[in-house]
Amino acid sequence: MPIRGPALRQPLVGVQGVMTIVCGKYFVLSDYVVDSLMRENSDSRDDLNIQQISCVRGGNSPANTMPSPYERLQAKPQTGLNIGSLTPTQRSEVRTLRITSSWPIGPNSIDCRTIYYLEGDEQAAVELFVEEHRDQLEEIDWTKRNPIKSSLSQVIYDKILHELGERRISKTETMVREDRPNGDVWLIDRKWYENRPDRRYSVTPHKSAPKVAKLAGQSPENVLKEIDSEIITESAVRSYVEGDKRLLLEYLRTSDKIACLPITHDGEMAVKLFPDQSTAVRENSEEQGTQ
């Protein structure tokens, strides 16, 4: 019969040769020992209420009261976990965030702990990975080949960069926007972004449809502020955009920060800002500048 330590207000010591009971621990005791404890600690009888004692006969050990590896994974991603005790079904749900490549990064070599998590907990796993390795990760030049990129899926890699603040990612129905610390903004067709990560940052126009646009040191809000016109045409944004110019107009059309209507102006693809949009553009531009 195990006794739950927190039910006791003082340790119970040395009854019939039994070791000290420490609050917060579970010990398997025979009925005889329980009776002895209650007799010798009559002042604590109320705290030894049998309703608070979980009866487990047959010699269960204190370790059985600890969460299993699978229960720990259900709570949150883990490091240093022994998954050998998991059932085949449980093991099939386990995923790992593990860096399999290694080479010097700056003055040091990157050495990352494996993160174990359950399928669907990718974001929490990334947050733990960044928390555990932030100092090493901040030394990486993310514009070059690195062990993180070569070891992980593109989805997890993107989440790590977002968590580190190297890329601030936002999405519209058809577009993905990436803001970089150097002020560059990438506008990428969403399907292309998700299906062709190997060509994600190629600004060479694709023959079938616009895919990628880069604004060097500019945000879309700043571009609108500089153009300062109610009608924004493809030719008007040409000098600001490297790659497919139409993607900036598509981003404006689908962004919930920019109120506008798609139109054709003098035979060109364009958008028309709502009359009060100039104020909103200035506010968005100032907000981008403070981030």
Side-chain angles (χ1 to χ4, degrees):
M1 173 178 285
I3 294 181
R4 188 174 183 177
L8 307 178
R9 293 178 184 166
Q10 58 185 15
L12 302 179
V13 186
V15 179
Q16 299 294 327
V18 177
M19 63 172 19
T20 301
I21 297 178
V22 181
C23 289
K25 302 294 183 183
Y26 291 74
F27 293 86
V28 176
L29 306 173
S30 68
D31 290 343
Y32 169 75
V33 174
V34 170
D35 291 340
S36 298
L37 288 172
M38 295 185 72
R39 283 196 303 272
E40 300 217 9
N41 294 271
S42 57
D43 292 342
S44 301
R45 184 176 297 274
D46 290 342
D47 297 315
L48 284 167
N49 188 325
I50 294 300
Q51 298 299 320
Q52 296 177 315
I53 298 176
S54 173
C55 297
V56 180
R57 302 179 186 276
N60 286 353
S61 67
N64 287 77
T65 66
M66 300 297 292
S68 69
Y70 186 72
E71 289 171 332
R72 291 170 61 192
L73 285 171
Q74 287 179 311
K76 62 181 181 178
Q78 302 287 329
T79 58
L81 192 71
N82 181 1
I83 63 173
S85 63
L86 300 185
T87 67
T89 299
Q90 291 173 341
R91 201 171 302 171
S92 69
E93 300 175 26
V94 177
R95 303 291 181 266
T96 58
L97 199 165
R98 176 184 290 124
I99 306 306
T100 56
S101 301
S102 179
W103 61 80
I105 301 296
N108 304 311
S109 293
I110 190 163
D111 181 21
C112 296
R113 303 178 69 187
T114 297
I115 308 295
Y116 297 89
Y117 64 97
L118 295 181
E119 184 177 13
D121 284 349
E122 288 81 7
Q123 183 58 42
V126 164
E127 291 171 3
L128 177 59
F129 179 81
V130 171
E131 178 184 337
E132 291 276 333
H133 308 103
R134 181 174 290 277
D135 290 345
Q136 296 182 77
L137 294 173
E138 289 180 347
E139 294 180 7
I140 295 177
D141 182 352
W142 297 100
T143 64
K144 299 179 180 178
R145 184 169 175 264
N146 62 76
I148 310 300
K149 184 174 180 61
S150 64
S151 300
L152 302 174
S153 71
Q154 187 66 48
V155 171
I156 297 296
Y157 184 71
D158 290 338
K159 288 180 181 294
I160 288 173
L161 292 179
H162 185 76
E163 189 68 22
L164 279 170
E166 291 294 326
R167 296 179 189 174
R168 191 168 64 253
I169 301 171
S170 57
K171 298 181 180 181
T172 72
E173 181 182 354
T174 59
M175 299 289 300
V176 175
R177 170 176 170 168
E178 281 192 6
D179 290 73
R180 304 290 182 84
N182 65 357
D184 291 351
V185 174
W186 290 82
L187 301 173
I188 308 169
D189 175 83
R190 185 164 179 171
K191 289 183 178 179
W192 187 259
Y193 182 93
E194 294 171 350
N195 298 330
R196 293 298 303 273
D198 58 321
R199 297 286 306 280
R200 189 178 282 177
Y201 306 107
S202 173
V203 294
T204 302
H206 194 267
K207 60 183 180 181
S208 62
K211 301 298 182 184
V212 183
K214 177 184 177 182
L215 283 67
Q218 289 271 21
S219 70
E221 293 79 13
N222 282 333
V223 170
L224 295 186
K225 185 178 179 181
E226 287 194 13
I227 294 174
D228 192 25
S229 173
E230 185 181 58
I231 296 177
I232 310 297
T233 63
E234 185 178 345
S235 59
V237 303
R238 184 169 292 125
S239 62
Y240 298 95
V241 179
E242 182 181 356
D244 287 302
K245 323 303 179 188
R246 291 169 292 173
L247 283 178
L248 176 53
L249 300 179
E250 174 66 10
Y251 172 76
L252 298 176
R253 183 187 72 80
T254 59
S255 173
D256 59 4
K257 294 183 178 181
I258 309 294
C260 63
L261 291 173
I263 63 171
T264 299
H265 182 75
D266 291 339
E268 283 191 289
M269 180 178 177
V271 295
K272 182 176 182 180
L273 301 180
F274 287 171
D276 59 347
Q277 188 59 28
S278 58
T279 301
V281 168
R282 285 196 297 272
E283 290 175 350
N284 282 334
S285 178
E286 292 167 0
E287 178 184 343
Q288 290 290 328
T290 60
Q291 291 180 350

